[in-house]
Every structure is written in C-alpha cells, then in structure tokens.
Amino acid sequence: MPPNDIVTRFNLYGLTRAELQQQLVLWAIKPVHAARLWKYLYIELASSLDEMPELLPKLAERLRAEATLGVLPTALETASSDGFTRKYLLSLADAERIETVLMRFTGRVTACVSSQVGCAMGCVFCATGQMGYTRHLTPGEIVAQVVHVARVLRHEEPKGATKRATRDVLGTRLRNVVLMGMGEPLHNYDAVMHAVDIMLDPSGLSLAAERITLSTVGVVPGILRLAAEQRPIHLAVSLHAATQAARAALVPAARKWPLDELMAACRTYSEITGRRIFYEWTLIEGKNDSEDQARAVGELLRGLPAHVNLIPLNPTTGYDGAPTHSAAANRFREILQLEYALPSTMRQRRGIDIAAGCGQLAVVAQ
C-alpha cells in the first residue's frame, strides 16, 4: 500500500460526486461548491490545485491540508511506429509504477488502464503475469489513468475544439476504456467498480457503460458478483483453451476456478444480465490454433450469447511461443463462423514494437 503520509490524505480522483459533496458537508462547506471542484477535475482536467483559481478559499485551504490531486507523473512515454499507439509508464505515490496505453482506431480513442501493480494470476504468456503481483491500485489511481489519457488528448486539440461533438469528430475525446492493462480487475473488484462509477458520471468523464470493457482471466466469484449487481459494462473472459488440462497449463488460475465452473458462471451471467460475453483466445502456434481446437471452442460456446476475440500471440521475454500464422488464424475464424455461426473478430495488433500490445505490459525492476 502507499506510504502513511499518502494514506492520511484522500485522493480527489477516488471520490464519486456524492462522496465529494459529503466531504464538503463534513467541512461545513455548502455542497454546491463541489460542482465547481468536480468541473475542474473532469471537465477542465486541471493538473494541480493552482489551476483551480475560482475555488472557495476555505475549500482550497482544506484541500491543500487534507487532500491530494492524484495526478500520476509520466516516468516514460513511448510512441509506436504504427502511429496509433502510445504507452505511458506512470509513477505512483509509493514509487511503484504502472503502464497505461492510448490507442487510436477509426472514429475512436481507447485507454487501456491497469488495475494492479503486477498480477497474481500468472498466465504463462503474459508479461504482467511473469512480473508477479505487488499490490492493488486504489480507485483514485485507476481513475487517474483515464484522466491522464483524456488530458493528453485535450492538449492535442486544435484551438476552438471546445464542444464534445467537435472532439468526437476530431478523435480528441476519450470515449472507450478497457480494463485490460496490468492486473486482474476482478481480483481488485471493489476498487475497480468504484472507479467505474466515477468514470460513468454524466457530469464528469461521462463515459458510456457500453464503452467500458473489463477483461478477466476467469475469476468466478467476480463474474457472479457482476451478474448479481447488474453491472452494465462489457465483460471479456480470457479463455485460450477449451479443455481444463490445456487451460490450466496456460492459465494457472484455472486450477482454482476450473473450466466447467467458469463456463457455468458465464451462463449464469448471461442468463441474469441478458448480455453476451466476449471470449478472448490468444492464438499460439502449435498450441491452440488447430482446426480441432476451433471446433472445441465452437462446442464449448454452443448456445451461449458469445463473441470470440482472436488475438495472435504477442512476444514476451518469459515465453517462447510464437503467434499463429495468418492462414491458420483465418481458418480458425472460418470454422467458428461457418460451422458454429459464432461471431468473431481478429484483433488488430497495436504497439507491439513498444511492448504495448495485449499481454505485453510490465514494469521491469530497476
């Protein structure tokens, strides 16, 4: 956890609008002043209290004494040669670091954010899993990553692009967030959902629920809790194998939550929510890319509201597998579509040269 001097101060990015209003009430400040502060945080994207000149002086004084604006300093920024991807190594208050990625696609910008420092799930082909687990991120540290990307985009805007509709056309407004960075989001459930609530606030970052996707390795209790709470965000489940033995070899967490238990939870989720699940399949040459494997996926997902995201393996130093060749990948997808009427997408590979692709995020020990 962060050091004590940070813990004693609350992170403004970690409060919902209602919580911020309640804090002002505790300070005997009218909650109406929370609206001005909230606008500074999420509309004007102020990076310090000095950039909030219109705050009530009494409020500014209390904030300086008891709060922190949890802006995450950039330790390193790396741009991909693909021209669409940038990765940020961000510093936390306790000197830990995380990675966040900005990705551009036609008509949209996506932030890939982290939920933990490292990851405890240990997926063998994932750089974060190879790194190991250090700690959970706080809600404020998760939200701060989204604000960081939004602020980057704001600085790139041409003059006069002040309206949200104009920013959408120019591609300078953040519209999509994927919780697919470092860490397992459902292992840090409460903090992640608190952060999501802040992202969804229509008077702040104003992200739409259908534009937030959470990816899990298959934490069954978290999937069932998502269903019970009727969370409206998209759910993606990292599958990667269609039998328990094969999956456990790639995803050690499958030993705790076996494949049959995971699929039962996914059925329950879809039955309760009426939502489809995105199943992610990393295509590894000679491991899980054969025609038989494609048919096994089709059988496993038969009757479920599902969409399969096919992701050619991205290289990491700790795993010697190779990505599937395009012919085999296309045949895999063809079988899913023609024999099982199972929709699928071949995921675009972005930022591979800067280790910003799926499964590549990690912080190397200094």
Side-chain angles (χ1 to χ4, degrees):
M1 292 297 295
N4 289 335
D5 61 332
I6 299 298
V7 172
T8 56
R9 292 170 171 262
F10 63 87
N11 186 346
L12 288 172
Y13 289 138
L15 300 183
T16 63
R17 187 155 47 102
E19 289 169 340
L20 188 60
Q21 292 171 342
Q22 292 167 7
Q23 183 61 54
L24 267 60
V25 170
L26 291 175
W27 287 340
I29 298 173
K30 293 180 180 180
V32 67
H33 292 287
R36 174 72 265 188
L37 176 55
W38 189 262
K39 184 178 180 181
Y40 273 130
L41 292 173
Y42 298 115
I43 303 300
E44 299 185 22
L45 302 174
S47 59
S48 72
L49 293 177
D50 292 335
E51 296 179 11
M52 305 180 187
E54 296 179 16
L55 284 184
L56 183 72
K58 179 182 176 181
L59 173 56
E61 182 180 351
R62 294 301 294 262
L63 290 174
R64 292 185 190 281
E66 300 181 38
T68 179
L69 180 55
V71 174
L72 302 181
T74 302
L76 181 66
E77 176 181 345
T78 314
S80 171
S81 60
D82 64 25
F84 300 103
T85 311
R86 271 179 280 170
K87 185 170 70 169
Y88 302 92
L89 179 65
L90 302 177
S91 300
L92 307 179
D94 60 354
E96 296 292 345
R97 292 178 174 182
I98 54 173
E99 292 194 314
T100 302
V101 182
L102 182 160
M103 297 173 288
R104 292 185 181 275
F105 300 90
T106 302
R108 71 185 193 276
V109 180
T110 297
C112 178
V113 305
S114 298
S115 57
Q116 297 175 314
V117 179
C119 183
M121 299 298 113
C123 298
V124 297
F125 52 82
C126 175
T128 316
Q130 296 159 15
M131 170 186 166
Y133 169 79
T134 300
R135 69 168 174 89
H136 293 317
L137 295 185
T138 65
E141 289 169 334
I142 297 169
V143 172
Q145 296 172 72
V146 180
V147 173
H148 178 89
V149 174
R151 190 179 292 116
V152 168
L153 294 172
R154 177 70 57 83
H155 289 163
E156 294 177 351
E157 288 176 359
K159 291 183 178 180
T162 57
K163 294 183 178 180
R164 181 168 290 171
T166 303
R167 290 170 182 156
D168 285 344
V169 172
L170 294 174
T172 56
R173 183 170 80 89
L174 179 62
R175 300 179 65 196
N176 296 70
V177 169
V178 292
L179 290 153
M180 298 182 180
M182 295 169 58
E184 164 56 62
L186 295 185
H187 186 202
N188 190 18
Y189 188 99
D190 290 328
V192 167
M193 294 308 150
H194 195 106
V196 167
D197 288 340
I198 296 169
M199 296 178 209
L200 293 176
D201 193 298
S203 66
L205 291 169
S206 190
L207 289 165
E210 63 270 18
R211 294 188 179 276
I212 299 177
T213 301
L214 179 151
S215 179
T216 177
V217 76
V219 178
V220 166
I223 294 172
L224 296 175
R225 188 174 170 188
L226 277 175
E229 294 178 2
Q230 294 276 359
R231 292 282 179 173
I233 61 177
H234 287 303
L235 175 64
V237 173
S238 295
L239 202 54
H240 310 310
T243 66
Q244 171 59 18
R247 191 165 189 272
L250 294 172
V251 182
R255 298 164 194 160
K256 183 171 184 178
W257 298 292
L259 183 60
D260 57 351
E261 187 178 338
L262 170 61
M263 297 313 300
C266 290
R267 290 187 191 92
T268 298
Y269 174 90
S270 292
E271 289 169 358
I272 292 176
T273 66
R275 302 178 66 85
R276 69 176 175 177
I277 294 175
F278 294 89
Y279 292 91
E280 297 173 317
W281 190 277
T282 297
L283 286 164
I284 308 171
E285 184 181 17
K287 292 280 188 182
N288 63 356
D289 62 343
S290 68
E291 295 186 8
D292 287 344
Q293 286 286 317
R295 294 186 176 94
V297 177
E299 294 296 335
L300 185 68
L301 301 181
R302 186 186 291 275
L304 291 174
H307 186 107
V308 180
N309 284 327
L310 300 171
I311 311 165
L313 177 73
N314 291 321
T316 63
T317 57
Y319 185 68
D320 60 1
T324 299
H325 292 294
S326 59
N330 290 335
R331 177 57 180 155
F332 196 103
R333 185 183 181 196
E334 184 180 66
I335 289 171
L336 296 181
Q337 293 178 327
L338 297 182
E339 298 184 20
Y340 295 91
L342 191 57
S344 63
T345 301
M346 192 67 66
R347 185 82 66 79
Q348 294 183 49
R349 302 179 84 203
R350 289 283 175 83
I352 308 307
D353 58 326
I354 58 170
C358 183
Q360 292 186 307
L361 301 188
V363 177
V364 179
Q366 298 298 312

